[in-house]
């Protein structure tokens, strides 16, 4: 049972480059989300999706795009990387978006922008 | 805007000691969860509380949801080195799908 799979695990980008962080889940969950984790800030919500074709912004959406063409996949795109986007990125999925269902997380992508 | 504040931010204690971690907000939540995260891994769910005043126990861990559903606490009795990790509270408000996390408490239990 793979759960939530994120790729790549590590990435170094130059300022201005673009890239896509991949996230896939095999639990048929409707709700998926992207967070970034910075020291002392916990996890901050970037974008989320309540189902295929439906996405919305979280707390810190600027500089990131998402799409949800299938239930399984929820990629996060960095349009023009900036050093401020250096962080650890986590993708999560849950059966429902409500807070009383368990969120399952991937292992994270550690991104460095130089 | 971070709606969930956790305290303390860091905690280093000796094995066998007790500790309490707090999660506070000015917002009312429909439910609140606690997660633990180990280095290099994603957070893993410990417990969900949904009723104001609710208390849940998980072995040596006791979780309480405030009566007004704005705050929560996690109490660990006789801490062990295996309890070391980052503890995160998380919550959503009624009628939204936004699921937010607190600032985190990093716990280190020394043998």
């Amino acid at each position: 049972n793979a759960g939530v799979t994120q790729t790549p695990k590590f990435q170094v980008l130059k300022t201005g480059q673009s890239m896509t962080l991949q996230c896939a889940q095999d639990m048929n969950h409707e709700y998926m989300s992207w967070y970034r984790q910075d020291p002392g800030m916990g996890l901050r919500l970037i974008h989320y999706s309540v189902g295929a074709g439906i996405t919305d912004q979280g707390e810190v959406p600027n500089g990131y795009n998402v799409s949800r063409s299938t239930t399984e996949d929820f990629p996060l795109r960095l349009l023009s990387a900036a050093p401020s986007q250096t962080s650890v990125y986590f993708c999560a999925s849950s059966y429902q978006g409500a807070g009383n269902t368990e969120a399952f997380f991937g292992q994270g992508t550690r991104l460095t922008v130089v | 805007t971070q709606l969930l504040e956790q305290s303390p931010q860091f905690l280093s204690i000796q094995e066998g000691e007790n500790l309490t971690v707090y999660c506070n907000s000015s917002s009312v939540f429909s439910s609140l969860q606690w997660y633990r995260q180990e280095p290099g891994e994603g957070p893993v769910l410990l417990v969900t509380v949904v009723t104001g005043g609710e208390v849940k126990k998980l072995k040596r861990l006791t979780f309480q949801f405030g009566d007004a559903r704005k705050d929560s606490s996690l109490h660990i009795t006789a801490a062990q080195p295996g309890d070391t990790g980052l503890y995160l509270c998380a919550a959503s408000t009624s009628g939204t799908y936004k699921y937010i996390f607190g600032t985190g408490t990093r716990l280190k239990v020394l043998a």
Side-chain angles (χ1 to χ4, degrees), chain A residues 46-80:
Chain A
I46 304 172
H47 285 286
Y48 64 99
S49 169
V50 300
I54 306 170
T55 63
D56 205 348
Q57 296 181 348
E59 303 171 82
V60 288
N62 293 339
Y64 307 95
N65 271 359
V66 293
S67 60
R68 184 95 179 270
S69 56
T70 67
T71 299
E72 294 78 18
D73 300 299
F74 190 42
L76 178 72
R77 281 181 285 277
L78 279 70
L79 309 173
S80 178

Coordinates of all heavy atoms in Angstrom, one line a residue, chain A residues 46-80:
Chain A
I46 N -0.7 25.8 1.2 CA -0.4 26.5 0.0 C -1.7 26.5 -0.9 O -2.2 27.5 -1.3 CB 0.8 25.9 -0.8 CG1 2.0 25.8 0.1 CG2 1.0 26.7 -2.1 CD1 3.2 25.1 -0.6
H47 N -2.1 25.3 -1.3 CA -3.3 25.1 -2.1 C -3.9 23.8 -1.7 O -3.3 22.9 -1.1 CB -2.9 25.0 -3.6 CG -2.6 26.3 -4.3 ND1 -3.5 27.2 -4.6 CD2 -1.4 26.8 -4.7 CE1 -2.9 28.2 -5.2 NE2 -1.7 28.0 -5.3
Y48 N -5.2 23.7 -2.0 CA -5.9 22.4 -1.7 C -6.9 22.1 -2.8 O -7.3 23.0 -3.5 CB -6.5 22.4 -0.3 CG -7.6 23.4 -0.1 CD1 -8.9 23.1 -0.2 CD2 -7.3 24.8 0.2 CE1 -9.9 24.0 0.0 CE2 -8.3 25.7 0.4 CZ -9.6 25.3 0.3 OH -10.6 26.2 0.5
S49 N -7.4 20.9 -2.8 CA -8.4 20.5 -3.7 C -9.4 19.5 -3.1 O -9.0 18.6 -2.3 CB -7.7 19.7 -4.9 OG -8.7 19.1 -5.7
V50 N -10.7 19.8 -3.3 CA -11.7 18.9 -2.7 C -12.2 17.9 -3.7 O -13.2 17.1 -3.4 CB -12.9 19.8 -2.2 CG1 -12.4 20.7 -1.1 CG2 -13.6 20.5 -3.3
G51 N -11.6 17.8 -4.9 CA -12.0 16.8 -5.9 C -11.4 17.1 -7.2 O -10.9 18.3 -7.4
A52 N -11.4 16.2 -8.1 CA -10.9 16.4 -9.5 C -11.6 17.7 -10.1 O -12.8 17.8 -10.1 CB -11.1 15.2 -10.4
G53 N -10.8 18.6 -10.6 CA -11.2 19.8 -11.3 C -11.5 20.9 -10.4 O -11.9 22.0 -10.8
I54 N -11.3 20.7 -9.0 CA -11.6 21.8 -8.1 C -10.4 22.1 -7.2 O -9.9 21.2 -6.5 CB -12.8 21.4 -7.1 CG1 -14.0 21.0 -8.0 CG2 -13.2 22.5 -6.2 CD1 -15.1 20.3 -7.1
T55 N -9.9 23.3 -7.3 CA -8.8 23.7 -6.4 C -9.1 25.1 -5.8 O -9.9 25.8 -6.3 CB -7.5 23.8 -7.2 OG1 -7.6 24.8 -8.2 CG2 -7.1 22.5 -7.9
D56 N -8.4 25.4 -4.7 CA -8.6 26.6 -4.0 C -7.3 27.0 -3.3 O -6.4 26.2 -3.1 CB -9.7 26.6 -3.0 CG -10.3 28.0 -2.8 OD1 -9.7 29.0 -3.2 OD2 -11.4 28.1 -2.2
Q57 N -7.2 28.3 -3.0 CA -5.9 28.8 -2.4 C -5.9 28.6 -0.9 O -7.0 28.6 -0.2 CB -5.8 30.3 -2.7 CG -5.6 30.6 -4.1 CD -5.4 32.1 -4.4 OE1 -5.7 32.9 -3.5 NE2 -5.0 32.5 -5.6
G58 N -4.7 28.4 -0.3 CA -4.6 28.3 1.1 C -4.0 29.6 1.7 O -4.4 30.7 1.2
E59 N -3.2 29.5 2.7 CA -2.6 30.7 3.3 C -1.5 31.3 2.5 O -1.4 32.6 2.6 CB -2.0 30.2 4.7 CG -2.9 29.5 5.7 CD -2.1 29.0 6.8 OE1 -1.8 29.8 7.8 OE2 -1.7 27.8 6.8
V60 N -0.7 30.6 1.8 CA 0.5 31.1 1.1 C 0.5 30.7 -0.3 O 1.4 30.0 -0.7 CB 1.8 30.8 1.9 CG1 1.9 31.5 3.2 CG2 1.9 29.3 2.1
P61 N -0.4 31.1 -1.2 CA -0.5 30.6 -2.5 C 0.4 31.2 -3.6 O 0.6 30.7 -4.7 CB -1.9 30.8 -2.9 CG -2.3 32.1 -2.1 CD -1.5 32.0 -0.8
N62 N 0.9 32.4 -3.2 CA 1.7 33.2 -4.3 C 2.9 32.5 -4.7 O 3.7 32.0 -3.9 CB 2.0 34.6 -3.7 CG 0.8 35.4 -3.5 OD1 -0.3 35.2 -4.1 ND2 0.9 36.4 -2.6
G63 N 3.1 32.4 -6.1 CA 4.3 31.8 -6.6 C 4.1 30.3 -7.0 O 5.0 29.7 -7.5
Y64 N 2.9 29.8 -6.7 CA 2.6 28.4 -6.9 C 1.3 28.2 -7.7 O 0.3 29.0 -7.5 CB 2.4 27.6 -5.5 CG 3.5 27.8 -4.6 CD1 3.5 28.8 -3.6 CD2 4.7 27.0 -4.6 CE1 4.5 28.9 -2.7 CE2 5.7 27.1 -3.7 CZ 5.6 28.1 -2.7 OH 6.6 28.3 -1.8
N65 N 1.3 27.2 -8.5 CA 0.0 26.8 -9.2 C -0.3 25.4 -9.0 O 0.7 24.5 -8.8 CB 0.2 27.0 -10.7 CG -0.2 28.5 -11.1 OD1 -0.6 29.3 -10.3 ND2 -0.1 28.7 -12.4
V66 N -1.5 25.0 -9.0 CA -1.9 23.6 -8.9 C -3.0 23.3 -9.9 O -3.7 24.2 -10.4 CB -2.4 23.2 -7.5 CG1 -1.3 23.3 -6.5 CG2 -3.6 24.1 -7.1
S67 N -3.2 22.0 -10.2 CA -4.3 21.5 -11.0 C -4.7 20.2 -10.5 O -3.8 19.5 -9.8 CB -4.0 21.5 -12.5 OG -2.9 20.6 -12.7
R68 N -5.9 19.7 -10.7 CA -6.3 18.4 -10.3 C -7.2 17.8 -11.4 O -8.4 17.9 -11.4 CB -7.2 18.5 -9.0 CG -7.6 17.2 -8.4 CD -6.6 16.7 -7.3 NE -7.0 15.5 -6.8 CZ -7.8 15.4 -5.7 NH1 -8.3 16.4 -5.1 NH2 -8.1 14.2 -5.2
S69 N -6.5 17.1 -12.3 CA -7.2 16.5 -13.4 C -7.7 15.1 -13.1 O -8.6 14.6 -13.8 CB -6.3 16.5 -14.7 OG -5.1 15.8 -14.4
T70 N -7.1 14.5 -12.1 CA -7.5 13.1 -11.7 C -7.6 13.1 -10.2 O -7.1 14.0 -9.5 CB -6.6 12.0 -12.2 OG1 -5.3 12.2 -11.4 CG2 -6.3 12.1 -13.6
T71 N -8.3 12.1 -9.7 CA -8.4 12.0 -8.2 C -7.1 11.7 -7.6 O -6.7 12.1 -6.5 CB -9.4 10.8 -7.8 OG1 -10.7 11.2 -8.3 CG2 -9.5 10.6 -6.3
E72 N -6.2 10.9 -8.3 CA -5.0 10.4 -7.8 C -3.9 11.4 -7.7 O -3.0 11.4 -6.8 CB -4.5 9.2 -8.6 CG -5.4 8.0 -8.6 CD -6.6 8.1 -9.5 OE1 -6.6 9.0 -10.4 OE2 -7.5 7.4 -9.3
D73 N -3.8 12.4 -8.6 CA -2.6 13.3 -8.8 C -2.9 14.7 -8.4 O -4.0 15.3 -8.9 CB -2.1 13.2 -10.2 CG -1.7 11.8 -10.6 OD1 -0.8 11.2 -9.9 OD2 -2.3 11.2 -11.5
F74 N -2.0 15.4 -7.8 CA -2.1 16.8 -7.4 C -0.8 17.4 -7.5 O -0.1 17.7 -6.5 CB -2.7 16.9 -6.0 CG -3.2 18.3 -5.6 CD1 -3.9 19.1 -6.5 CD2 -2.9 18.7 -4.4 CE1 -4.3 20.3 -6.2 CE2 -3.4 20.0 -4.0 CZ -4.0 20.8 -4.9
P75 N -0.3 17.8 -8.7 CA 1.0 18.4 -8.8 C 1.1 19.9 -8.4 O 0.1 20.6 -8.5 CB 1.3 18.3 -10.3 CG 0.0 18.2 -11.0 CD -1.0 17.6 -10.0
L76 N 2.2 20.3 -7.9 CA 2.4 21.7 -7.5 C 3.5 22.3 -8.4 O 4.6 21.7 -8.4 CB 2.9 21.7 -6.0 CG 3.2 23.1 -5.4 CD1 2.0 23.9 -5.2 CD2 4.0 23.0 -4.1
R77 N 3.2 23.4 -9.0 CA 4.1 24.0 -9.9 C 4.7 25.3 -9.4 O 3.9 26.1 -8.9 CB 3.4 24.3 -11.3 CG 3.3 23.0 -12.2 CD 2.7 23.4 -13.5 NE 1.2 23.6 -13.3 CZ 0.4 22.6 -13.3 NH1 0.8 21.3 -13.4 NH2 -0.9 22.8 -13.2
L78 N 6.0 25.4 -9.4 CA 6.7 26.7 -9.1 C 7.0 27.4 -10.4 O 7.7 26.8 -11.3 CB 8.0 26.4 -8.3 CG 7.9 26.2 -6.8 CD1 7.2 24.8 -6.6 CD2 9.2 26.2 -6.2
L79 N 6.4 28.5 -10.6 CA 6.5 29.2 -11.9 C 7.8 29.8 -12.1 O 8.4 29.7 -13.2 CB 5.4 30.3 -11.9 CG 4.0 29.8 -11.5 CD1 3.0 30.9 -11.5 CD2 3.5 28.7 -12.5
S80 N 8.4 30.5 -11.1 CA 9.7 31.1 -11.3 C 10.3 31.1 -9.9 O 10.0 32.0 -9.0 CB 9.6 32.6 -11.8 OG 10.8 33.2 -11.8

